[in-house]
Structures are given as structure tokens and as C-alpha cells.
Amino acid sequence: MSQPITIEDIYKLFEKTNEKFEQSRQEYDRRAAEAKAEADRRAAEAKAEADRRAAEAKAEADRWAAEADRRAAEADRRLAKLEKTVANTSRAVDSLTTRWGRFVEELVEPAVISLFRAKGIDVKETYSRARVKRQGIAMEIDILAVDETEVVLVECKSRLSKDDVNEFLEKLSRFKQAFPHYKNYQAYGAVAGIEIDEGVDRYAYKQGLFVIKPSGETVEIINDSGFEPKLW
């Protein structure tokens, strides 16, 4: 026959159950703490890795930016040097072109009077680099040969091109406006060149211009006897 369960037996059972529950709770807390610690550790590692990669990325970006700045500065320096070289070259070319132009003028001017008298234009004096500024018009004539009723404008080039001829024709159209003193004169035009682009001499001839070319140590007018000069 079984013994009856006493209150003490129930109390002991409760204590035993409570002890097991406390042990389970402590184990749970321990495992939860370990899990949290592991999670914190992994989070810290992940953050450290992310920070490291971010720092590396920033350092790389800074390096590229610094390299880009360096290259831009180098490009600016080279561009400034190139611009200086171009400016110096342009000045040298302009100076050379000016000297060549004056050389042509000095070659042509002494022969102008005799050349045009031979063509029936009785000019008596010449002016080199005749310049004027009047009512918004600025004009320079390389050589101006004149008498009492006639005037010859001579454009001198080291190398005569079609564009040079066209620019001179435009200058001739405005000549009497720029130089009203000659408004009642018969004005003729002539172009002179040490070198003349192919076909340009014929083009100038057809425009009614005298064409002057080197001949030995002097120059000559190459227009034939059938040429009819244009009057401006």
C-alpha cells in the first residue's frame, strides 16, 4: 500500500522543479549572452572591415583626384607653353612677312614710274605706305604713283594669292572715299608679287589689274598690248 503524499513531499518536488527551471534559465541566459557576444563580435568585425574598405576606397579616390589635379595642372602648363610658343611664332611670322612685304615694295617702287610711263600713264612721283583714317575708314596703300590727273595703286606681296587680289579689289572700290583728294583722278590698280600662285596672274589680268613680276634684278609689267586696264 503506497504512502500518502505529504506537503513536505510536494514542497521538495517544487524545489526540485524550481532548481531545474533555474538551471535551464541560467543556461538560456548563458547561451543568449554568448550569442549576443558572437553577434557583437561579428558586427564589430563587419564594421571594421567596412570602415577599412571605405578608408581604402577614399584613399584611392583621393589618389585619383590628386592625380587628376596633377594632370590638369600639367595640361594647363603645357597649354600655356604652347600658347606662348604660338604667340612667339606668330610674331616671328608677322615680322618676317612684314620684312618680305617691304622688300617687295623696295624692289618695285624704283621701277614704278618708268613702268607705267611705258604703258602711257605719265605718273611723276610715288608715295610708299600711304595711310589714312577717315569717317570710319582706315586704309593703307603700299605704293601710290600719281600725276596731275592719274593715280596708280600698287599692292605688293611676297606671295600673291587670289584672296590678296580680291582684298585689293575691295580696297580699290573704297579708295576715293578714303582719299577724296583723288576723287576726280583716273585710278588704276596693280598687284606685284615675288611669287604668284598658279593662275592668279591671269585672274588679276581679267579683273583689269596690272600685274608686276620680278625680271632679273628688277621688275616688269607682264600685261600684253591687248590689255585694257579698269578705271576706279
Side-chain angles (χ1 to χ4, degrees):
M1 199 174 163
S2 62
Q3 294 179 352
I5 298 174
T6 65
I7 292 177
E8 184 178 353
D9 291 335
I10 295 173
Y11 181 75
K12 287 181 180 180
L13 179 62
F14 175 79
E15 283 185 341
K16 190 175 183 179
T17 302
N18 189 53
E19 182 181 348
K20 288 183 178 180
F21 174 79
E22 183 63 24
Q23 290 175 350
S24 296
R25 187 184 66 78
Q26 290 177 357
E27 179 66 15
Y28 172 82
D29 290 343
R30 183 185 66 76
R31 291 183 179 181
E34 289 178 353
K36 182 178 183 302
E38 180 66 13
D40 290 344
R41 183 185 65 78
R42 291 184 180 182
E45 288 179 352
K47 183 177 182 302
E49 179 66 13
D51 289 346
R52 183 186 65 78
R53 291 184 180 182
E56 289 179 352
K58 183 178 182 303
E60 183 69 6
D62 290 344
R63 187 182 70 79
W64 277 104
E67 178 66 12
D69 289 343
R70 186 191 67 78
R71 292 185 180 183
E74 178 67 12
D76 289 343
R77 185 187 67 79
R78 291 184 179 181
L79 180 59
K81 184 177 180 180
L82 177 61
E83 288 175 344
K84 183 177 180 180
T85 300
V86 170
N88 290 339
T89 302
S90 179
R91 283 194 295 270
V93 170
D94 289 344
S95 176
L96 180 61
T97 301
T98 299
R99 288 199 296 270
W100 267 108
R102 289 179 179 173
F103 169 76
V104 178
E105 293 169 21
E106 292 171 359
L107 179 66
V108 172
E109 186 174 10
V112 164
I113 291 178
S114 61
L115 286 176
F116 285 99
R117 281 184 174 179
K119 294 295 183 180
I121 303 173
D122 194 26
V123 289
K124 297 179 176 63
E125 57 189 5
T126 61
Y127 302 93
S128 61
R129 295 188 174 270
R131 299 175 182 173
V132 69
K133 288 184 179 180
R134 182 189 302 275
Q135 297 176 346
I137 296 176
M139 185 177 295
E140 179 178 288
I141 309 300
D142 292 341
I143 300 173
L144 204 61
V146 300
D147 65 7
E148 290 79 10
T149 59
E150 297 172 305
V151 58
V152 181
L153 288 70
V154 184
E155 182 82 357
C156 299
K157 297 291 182 182
S158 57
R159 185 184 186 92
L160 185 68
S161 68
K162 186 176 180 180
D163 286 343
D164 293 328
V165 173
N166 288 334
E167 289 176 8
F168 184 53
L169 290 170
E170 196 275 333
K171 184 183 291 186
L172 283 165
S173 71
R174 297 184 296 115
F175 169 68
K176 290 184 178 180
Q177 184 181 357
F179 293 83
H181 174 74
Y182 297 106
K183 66 180 180 180
N184 295 322
Y185 281 54
Q186 290 184 320
Y188 303 90
V191 290
I194 297 297
E195 293 183 62
I196 299 179
D197 288 350
E198 184 177 356
V200 172
D201 49 356
R202 188 65 187 168
Y203 175 73
Y205 180 106
K206 289 182 178 180
Q207 303 305 312
L209 299 173
F210 290 98
V211 180
I212 302 173
K213 281 185 174 181
S215 177
E217 295 183 357
T218 183
V219 292
E220 65 177 354
I221 293 175
I222 65 171
N223 302 63
D224 55 33
S225 58
F227 172 69
E228 295 185 6
K230 182 177 179 180
L231 288 174
W232 276 268

